[in-house]
Amino acid sequence: ASSAGSDPRPSLELWDWILRPGELRESEAHIPGTKELIHVREGRLTLNVDGHADTLEAGTAAVFVGDRPHAYGNETAADVRFTLAVLDP
């Protein structure tokens, strides 16, 4: 049984982010089995997962493991807007 305010698993977080030009947000590894889904709505996002960088254009999405170090970056001169879902097992 769970009560209000408890932390039931799995849990889902949904984020709406804007990264300004040159901004980088780094994240440590989450708990084992964590998955993340990212959808870029505007601009071009650099996604780095466990030392491997990928570029995501507006209108594209990616799913990746969140249980490794990762970062979201904006290496352009315009804002990047994206939605991020984090699913903990």
Side-chain angles (χ1 to χ4, degrees):
S2 68
S3 61
S6 65
D7 187 17
R9 297 288 183 203
S11 70
L12 176 66
E13 296 177 23
L14 186 61
W15 297 82
D16 182 19
W17 277 20
I18 299 172
L19 288 180
R20 304 296 181 204
E23 190 173 0
L24 177 69
R25 292 293 185 100
E26 296 179 308
S27 177
E28 294 184 10
H30 302 297
I31 63 173
T34 299
K35 298 269 194 296
E36 298 196 23
L37 183 143
I38 193 164
H39 175 255
V40 180
R41 297 190 327 270
E42 183 180 311
R44 186 171 64 235
L45 179 81
T46 300
L47 174 64
N48 190 306
V49 179
D50 204 18
H52 178 78
D54 285 302
T55 300
L56 301 175
E57 302 287 342
T60 63
V63 176
F64 62 96
V65 291
D67 59 6
R68 297 194 172 69
H70 51 284
Y72 321 100
N74 180 357
E75 299 175 354
T76 73
D79 287 352
V80 174
R81 297 174 187 271
F82 63 100
T83 303
L84 177 68
V86 180
L87 179 62
D88 292 335

